Amino acid sequence: MKKYYLSIDCGLTKMKAALFSLAGDAVYTNDIDTPHDNTGINTTKIYNAVITLISDAVKSSGVKPEEILSVSVSGHGNGLYMIGENGVLPFGYSSTYTKSKHFTPDTSETFDITLQSSWSGQPLAILSHIKHTNPFLFKKIRKILFCKDLVKYILTGRICTDYTDASAAGILNYKTGEYDSKLMQIYNLDEDDISLLPEIVNCTDIIGNVSEKFSELTGLSTKTVVLGGLYDVNSCMLGVGVISPNKYCIISGTWGINCA
């Protein structure tokens, strides 16, 4: 029996699905426009888009569900997706969000901790904006996630992120690889608010299996495992072989990123 890997990518421009053979050959691909308006993202539409992409890949590729070994997800970084007591809240914030600029500290305050610039589309800036301008919404939040992690949650029910997304979003102390209470204070957040940040796993970790509910919706097998996944910029770099100092790539998309 042949074996395949299923990859999902959620960019700000397009959402894509691809089935790969074990040799790395793409045997089926499809895409759909990412549902957003540059200020917010309708998570119900994200949910439905993921179902559409995967269902089409399973039904139209000729690949049998039991032949799909794993699902891995990459996605646009930063922004903020919220899990409430009863599941996903109906909207999220993309990395293009700017209304949180008044809650964004100067990079000089955060760089020694994160090695990242500070800007309004990052999750701690958005979280601080919500806490101080919309306390009713803030009280509903149980965990925050990145886009790829929202998809993983939809697939498995597990809440977690990986080190690439957490690092790129400026929420990690780069020396310890952990969340930092001093960083929370810089963003006018409480130390207790660290509890809203998700568990961190390695990108290659198996985080669970496709849930029975999502199996029924898409045709995927519950025996298919789901991996931790990567921030999309890191995924692109690895995918095109930028793994040494003499190589670089240019990513054309909503942001447009030069990588080395």
Side-chain angles (χ1 to χ4, degrees), residues 18-230:
L19 276 164
F20 294 95
S21 70
L22 299 193
D25 297 317
V27 299
Y28 189 82
T29 61
N30 59 6
D31 63 72
I32 192 170
D33 290 339
T34 302
H36 75 96
D37 61 5
N38 286 327
T39 56
I41 293 185
N42 184 312
T43 52
T44 300
K45 290 182 178 179
I46 288 281
Y47 182 89
N48 291 333
V50 172
I51 292 173
T52 298
L53 283 171
I54 295 178
S55 298
D56 177 65
V58 172
K59 294 174 184 176
S60 303
S61 64
V63 172
K64 298 176 182 178
E66 61 270 22
E67 295 176 332
I68 301 174
L69 293 177
S70 64
V71 182
S72 186
V73 186
S74 61
H76 61 262
N78 291 280
L80 185 72
Y81 295 85
M82 301 166 287
I83 303 295
E85 190 170 329
N86 298 314
V88 183
L89 296 184
F91 64 93
Y93 302 86
S94 79
S95 56
T96 58
Y97 192 72
T98 59
K99 292 183 179 179
S100 51
K101 61 184 179 182
H102 298 300
F103 297 88
T104 306
D106 190 85
T107 295
S108 62
E109 298 182 67
T110 61
F111 190 81
D112 287 344
I113 300 174
T114 66
L115 289 187
Q116 299 286 344
S117 300
S118 299
W119 45 283
S120 61
Q122 290 177 312
L124 292 185
I126 297 172
L127 189 63
S128 182
H129 168 73
I130 294 171
K131 181 170 187 174
H132 296 289
T133 64
N134 192 345
F136 177 76
L137 173 60
F138 186 81
K139 288 180 181 179
K140 289 185 175 182
I141 302 172
R142 295 295 173 266
K143 289 289 180 181
I144 65 171
L145 292 174
F146 301 99
C147 189
K148 81 171 193 316
D149 307 317
L150 177 71
V151 177
K152 284 156 42 185
Y153 174 76
I154 292 169
L155 283 163
T156 67
R158 183 170 174 182
I159 298 172
C160 61
T161 190
D162 88 298
Y163 286 98
T164 64
D165 247 332
S167 174
I171 62 175
L172 280 187
N173 182 316
Y174 84 95
K175 292 179 181 178
T176 65
E178 297 176 349
Y179 299 131
D180 192 296
S181 58
K182 181 180 178 182
L183 193 60
M184 304 298 283
Q185 292 171 8
I186 292 172
Y187 279 90
N188 289 315
L189 293 164
D190 296 329
E191 186 173 350
D192 291 346
D193 295 334
I194 286 182
S195 65
L196 301 178
L197 306 182
E199 172 193 10
I200 304 174
V201 302
N202 291 312
C203 58
T204 53
D205 286 351
I206 294 173
I207 67 159
N209 289 62
V210 173
S211 68
E212 289 187 8
K213 178 181 178 180
F214 204 74
S215 172
E216 292 173 359
L217 290 170
T218 62
L220 281 176
S221 169
T222 56
K223 294 182 179 180
T224 298
V225 299
V226 180
L227 305 179
L230 286 160

